[in-house]
Amino acid sequence: MTALPNRSIAPAPSLLAAALLASLATTDIAHAAPAGQAVTLDAVNVTAADATEAARRALDRVHGAGNVVDMTQVGQGRIAGTADVLAYQPGISAQSAGNEGVKVSIRGSGLNRAPGAHASGLSVSLDGLPLTGPGGTPYELLEPLWLSRVEVLRGANGFERGALALGGAINYITRSGRDTPGLELHYEAGARGYQKRGISLGGVQDAVDYFIAYTDTEYDGYQQHAAGKGKGAVANIGWQLTPDLETRFFLRYRETDHETPGRLTRAQIRNAPRAANPANVAIDARRPQPGSTWFGNTTTYTIDEDSSLQAGLVYHKYPMDLNESLYRQQLDYANLNGTLDYRRRHALFGHDSVTTIGLRVTHDLDANVRETLRFASNGYAAGTHTRDFEHYGTDSVLHIGNDLALSDTLRLQTGMALIHTRRDVQVTWPATAEKLSERQWDYAPRLGFTWQQTPQTQWFGNLSRSVEPAHPWSMIWGSNKYFAAGNGASTGRQCAPVELDNQTATTLELGARGDSVLGRWELTGYYARLNHELLTVEVQPVPNLFIAESNASSTVHRGIEAGLDSALWQGVGGRLSLRQAYTFSDFRYRDDARFGSNRLPGLPRHYYQAELRYDHPAGFYAGLNTEYASKMFVDYANSMAADSYVIFGTRIGYDAPGGRWQAWAELRNLTDRHYAATVTPGYDDAGRDVARSTPGDGRGVYAGVRWRFD
């Protein structure tokens, strides 16, 4: 494999300089954990603030980079969706295409997946139970008002959760009766018809705690033909059966429906970003999801003071009714996913040690598609049956790891995972003999360390292998095998699946984190060499939409992730703070026969977010924020790029003492900057301005209020 040309990397000098200075500074603030503690993000059922702080301390024991998102802080402004939840987080790109189909990428995972599609490159969990299945990650159950916190383990650091995808693991933690007692009412509204309403009730009764909530959302959208709505409910019930045995049940149900306005050209983004793509309007493109149900349980048994066993099982049913092209595709999806985790603290070679063994299985129960014509075509009436096909998968991961304390300051982690994947894909009507039935074994070793240089500074690193199998649906949706003439309304539709190899990567990660006079900081660098990277390309636009996925030639992903939270001033009159997050991303081919060392399209090279904030002891707060993204290419030939942008926003609010009520208002995109939030790449646009981009929101005012009653 040929190395990339030597190129300079020049990320945000002021931020990185501050982070490097922080590594040399010493203070009395220390978040270092005792050497004998385990490497995990443990769930703690106390107050929300205590649980979040415990998760942050646990993150300091991970042999790599991660994030803990405090939903209390996120909730002090608009929380329309996942993009709001994951803002100001180093190493994470989360951009909305104007609806809930947010495109989330970490270290280039799924970097050019179209927004709204089932996401790839990340292992997403709800309360430790898998949401991501063989077909990727649906998004309709990720309602922010239901969350207590979010834990992110970037890259290979999700190993102990069986998360072996390039981007790592995201775990969304549901609120419980222990951290959200009483009755709570929530309402927020703003520009372009946006409204969100919520009601929740939580409490503790002897050995049982409970949390139930209902929310509904509606919006007209920034673009024309972009209206949407959603509603759903959640329940979280825990029961401490004995001092050593706890079980917890989770239920989520939600339905969504939104219009799809389509992508725009760069000229339209600059001059008419609120327009819809005419082809999408002509066919009334929309994405109804009639109702997703997610029901799970985790049961934890504490065997003794040194060992525990946890089992989890979840049933997930999520039908879809896609009306985004000339064809209506009705999908009947259902998964049965399970986890089993054992951990034991013991001595190894005379040193403190923690060994973990885990099994994670995600299995498709249903993955069937019925396709019909939405409009009369070629002499066939609307509703004519064109195809039936199925795409089943099972992903099983068995992992064993050990965390060894070589000294009071140095810890070593070793691990190995075995992966078995199954893919069964075929067109069942009109019946064909071509069927894909594939079974593959793969492996993922891991070696990592943490070194507590001082009480305030910790270094970490790891060398890991990641494995990501292709989604079963991509093997038929992007196939280049078609029904020949004479097959009626099926003529020209894909008739058989194509094989896709597992995407694998070897990643080296080095970094440091700590506290200093400048604040809490982190700085991470990584270099990943990928084989068979799964990349998507738009072959045909709407109305005959065709986005294909295939294995690329060798690629490389490298980057820098930096964060700094600083207290600039603090006194009896309040506190002035600055939080910053910067991500440098360099993703490119390695000597591709067609594209050489071109950059991969889909994400900006530089991405920076910051917020300057004042907090008064009485509960008043005000902030000014900014977001910068450099240009990003929209095709693999690098012949055209979306513009770079800088946007600003501000917010003010008040938290009443004791948390009884809260009110806030914010203004987003103060200068009404026109910019592209996401792109879905083409192959080679030869410098033509093709409709590849979705616009970010324009200027808008939002306000919200929350009441809490015991």
Side-chain angles (χ1 to χ4, degrees):
M1 292 181 285
T2 304
L4 288 170
N6 187 17
R7 298 176 184 264
S8 62
I9 300 175
S14 61
L15 177 62
L16 296 187
L20 290 172
L21 286 171
S23 69
L24 302 176
T26 59
T27 69
D28 292 332
I29 302 172
H31 287 270
Q37 291 188 4
V39 182
T40 186
L41 294 180
D42 300 311
V44 181
N45 287 326
V46 287
T47 68
D50 290 342
T52 300
E53 183 56 33
R56 286 183 175 138
R57 291 196 302 270
L59 181 61
D60 288 342
R61 303 191 293 271
V62 174
H63 302 71
N67 315 70
V68 176
V69 181
D70 182 0
M71 290 303 298
T72 301
Q73 186 175 26
V74 174
Q76 293 177 331
R78 191 195 74 174
I79 44 176
T82 303
D84 293 330
V85 172
L86 298 178
Y88 306 104
Q89 300 299 320
I92 303 177
S93 172
Q95 292 289 344
S96 171
N99 50 55
E100 296 183 30
V102 175
K103 178 178 178 179
V104 181
S105 180
I106 299 176
R107 299 183 178 178
S109 61
L111 83 165
N112 48 35
R113 174 77 68 202
H118 281 187
S120 60
L122 294 166
S123 294
V124 178
S125 299
L126 301 177
D127 300 287
L129 293 169
L131 175 66
T132 299
T137 307
Y139 57 80
E140 62 272 13
L141 292 174
L142 301 178
E143 168 53 58
L145 287 185
W146 298 345
L147 301 177
S148 170
R149 67 184 185 277
V150 181
E151 300 169 352
V152 183
L153 295 170
R154 305 199 297 268
N157 300 303
F159 178 87
E160 284 194 0
R161 293 183 180 165
L164 304 179
L166 176 68
I170 301 181
N171 190 21
Y172 295 90
I173 309 297
T174 308
R175 297 158 71 183
S176 74
R178 297 187 183 277
D179 59 32
T180 316
L183 175 67
E184 183 176 296
L185 304 176
H186 182 103
Y187 179 74
E188 58 186 64
R192 294 171 283 277
Y194 171 75
Q195 291 189 76
K196 174 171 283 194
R197 296 165 287 263
I199 181 171
S200 67
L201 179 66
V204 180
Q205 184 67 41
D206 297 327
V208 175
D209 67 89
Y210 60 90
F211 173 81
I212 56 175
Y214 171 84
T215 63
D216 69 72
T217 306
E218 59 185 82
Y219 52 90
D220 295 331
Y222 179 62
Q223 290 178 265
Q224 299 170 11
H225 194 74
K229 58 185 178 181
K231 59 183 178 180
V234 65
N236 174 0
I237 301 173
W239 184 12
Q240 192 74 46
L241 296 164
T242 72
D244 299 325
L245 183 63
E246 179 190 14
T247 190
R248 186 167 293 275
F249 293 91
F250 306 94
L251 174 65
R252 291 185 180 220
Y253 174 84
R254 196 156 183 270
E255 53 192 61
T256 63
D257 186 2
H258 65 78
E259 298 170 327
T260 306
R263 290 175 279 277
L264 304 179
T265 66
R266 186 172 69 180
Q268 288 176 306
I269 294 289
R270 291 174 175 175
N271 302 309
R274 300 200 64 180
N277 189 307
N280 286 65
V281 176
I283 65 170
D284 188 25
R286 58 178 59 247
R287 190 184 182 95
Q289 298 180 139
S292 296
T293 303
W294 192 89
F295 178 70
N297 171 266
T298 57
T299 299
T300 304
Y301 174 50
T302 303
I303 301 171
D304 54 41
E305 63 180 7
D306 293 320
S307 56
S308 64
L309 181 67
Q310 184 179 80
L313 187 66
V314 60
Y315 171 76
H316 184 198
K317 185 174 181 61
Y318 47 115
M320 302 166 66
D321 189 1
L322 304 184
N323 292 263
E324 297 179 301
S325 71
L326 296 176
Y327 299 87
R328 180 186 184 188
Q329 291 160 333
Q330 296 168 282
L331 293 83
D332 189 14
Y333 267 125
N335 296 146
L336 185 65
N337 304 331
T339 61
L340 184 64
D341 292 284
Y342 170 78
R343 53 188 309 110
R344 178 170 177 78
R345 189 187 308 275
H346 59 99
L348 182 64
F349 307 124
H351 298 278
D352 289 339
S353 170
V354 176
T355 295
T356 58
I357 302 174
L359 176 66
R360 177 189 178 105
V361 179
T362 58
H363 173 68
D364 285 333
L365 295 173
D366 292 311
N368 304 302
V369 183
R370 175 181 172 84
E371 182 183 86
T372 56
L373 286 173
R374 293 185 63 209
F375 307 96
S377 177
N378 296 324
Y380 298 99
T384 299
H385 190 193
T386 56
R387 281 187 306 169
D388 290 338
F389 53 97
E390 58 186 27
H391 37 73
Y392 288 83
T394 301
D395 295 338
S396 304
V397 179
L398 176 65
H399 55 95
I400 181 170
N402 178 263
D403 183 59
L404 181 64
L406 298 177
S407 69
D408 290 340
T409 59
L410 181 64
R411 301 189 68 88
L412 178 71
Q413 184 191 60
T414 54
M416 173 63 75
L418 295 177
I419 307 102
H420 182 261
T421 59
R422 175 186 70 90
R423 298 291 183 265
D424 290 303
V425 187
Q426 65 176 332
V427 175
T428 56
W429 189 90
T432 66
E434 295 185 74
K435 176 182 178 181
L436 186 146
S437 184
E438 187 176 81
R439 308 290 187 273
Q440 291 190 49
W441 284 95
D442 218 320
Y443 67 98
R446 174 175 170 84
L447 178 66
F449 77 93
T450 58
W451 175 43
Q452 198 70 42
Q453 180 187 11
T454 70
Q456 293 78 35
T457 303
Q458 181 190 78
W459 295 84
F460 57 82
N462 60 79
L463 179 65
S464 307
R465 187 172 191 265
S466 63
V467 178
E468 183 176 343
H471 301 320
W473 56 263
S474 66
M475 297 173 169
I476 183 66
W477 288 54
S479 172
N480 59 357
K481 301 178 181 180
Y482 308 98
F483 282 108
N487 281 280
S490 303
T491 299
R493 303 301 291 162
Q494 289 94 339
C495 66
V498 293
E499 292 188 12
L500 293 172
D501 294 324
N502 286 354
Q503 171 186 302
T504 60
T506 301
T507 303
L508 175 65
E509 174 184 349
L510 295 171
R513 57 190 165 219
D515 286 288
S516 75
V517 292
L518 295 176
R520 182 159 179 85
W521 60 274
E522 63 171 288
L523 179 63
T524 306
Y526 66 91
Y527 183 91
R529 299 175 73 93
L530 282 73
N531 292 317
H532 312 301
E533 182 170 4
L534 294 163
L535 298 178
T536 56
V537 61
E538 184 176 274
V539 180
Q540 295 182 30
V542 173
N544 194 21
L545 182 64
F546 179 20
I547 297 178
E549 184 168 271
S550 61
N551 292 116
S553 61
S554 297
T555 55
V556 63
H557 291 205
R558 60 182 179 180
I560 294 174
E561 304 158 343
L564 179 62
D565 292 346
S566 306
L568 303 180
W569 170 81
Q570 188 162 352
V572 294
R575 182 176 187 267
L576 184 66
S577 60
L578 175 65
R579 58 172 171 167
Q580 303 176 81
Y582 169 76
T583 303
F584 170 78
S585 304
D586 186 21
F587 313 139
R588 60 178 69 229
Y589 286 107
R590 298 204 316 267
D591 300 318
D592 181 74
R594 173 67 175 81
F595 296 122
S597 58
N598 278 9
R599 294 180 195 163
L600 299 177
L603 288 176
R605 201 176 191 212
H606 302 278
Y607 184 59
Y608 174 77
Q609 290 180 296
E611 182 181 49
L612 180 66
R613 173 172 164 140
Y614 168 73
D615 288 271
H616 190 274
F620 170 80
Y621 58 89
L624 177 67
N625 56 71
T626 186
E627 176 182 325
Y628 163 75
S630 61
K631 69 178 184 180
M632 53 182 166
F633 289 112
V634 302
D635 67 343
Y636 291 93
N638 293 175
S639 73
M640 180 63 72
D643 294 328
S644 62
Y645 67 87
V646 179
I647 57 176
F648 298 93
T650 185
R651 61 175 166 173
I652 60 172
Y654 178 74
D655 279 338
R660 291 291 184 180
W661 65 276
Q662 175 195 65
W664 56 264
E666 67 174 309
L667 178 58
R668 297 199 170 197
N669 197 352
L670 283 165
T671 60
D672 200 25
R673 177 64 186 267
H674 298 173
Y675 67 99
T678 71
V679 302
T680 302
Y683 185 71
D684 183 356
D685 293 338
R688 294 175 292 111
D689 190 6
V690 181
R692 304 282 185 212
S693 304
T694 58
D697 277 351
R699 180 168 48 232
V701 179
Y702 302 88
V705 63
R706 187 197 67 209
W707 298 271
R708 179 172 292 169
F709 308 92
D710 291 337

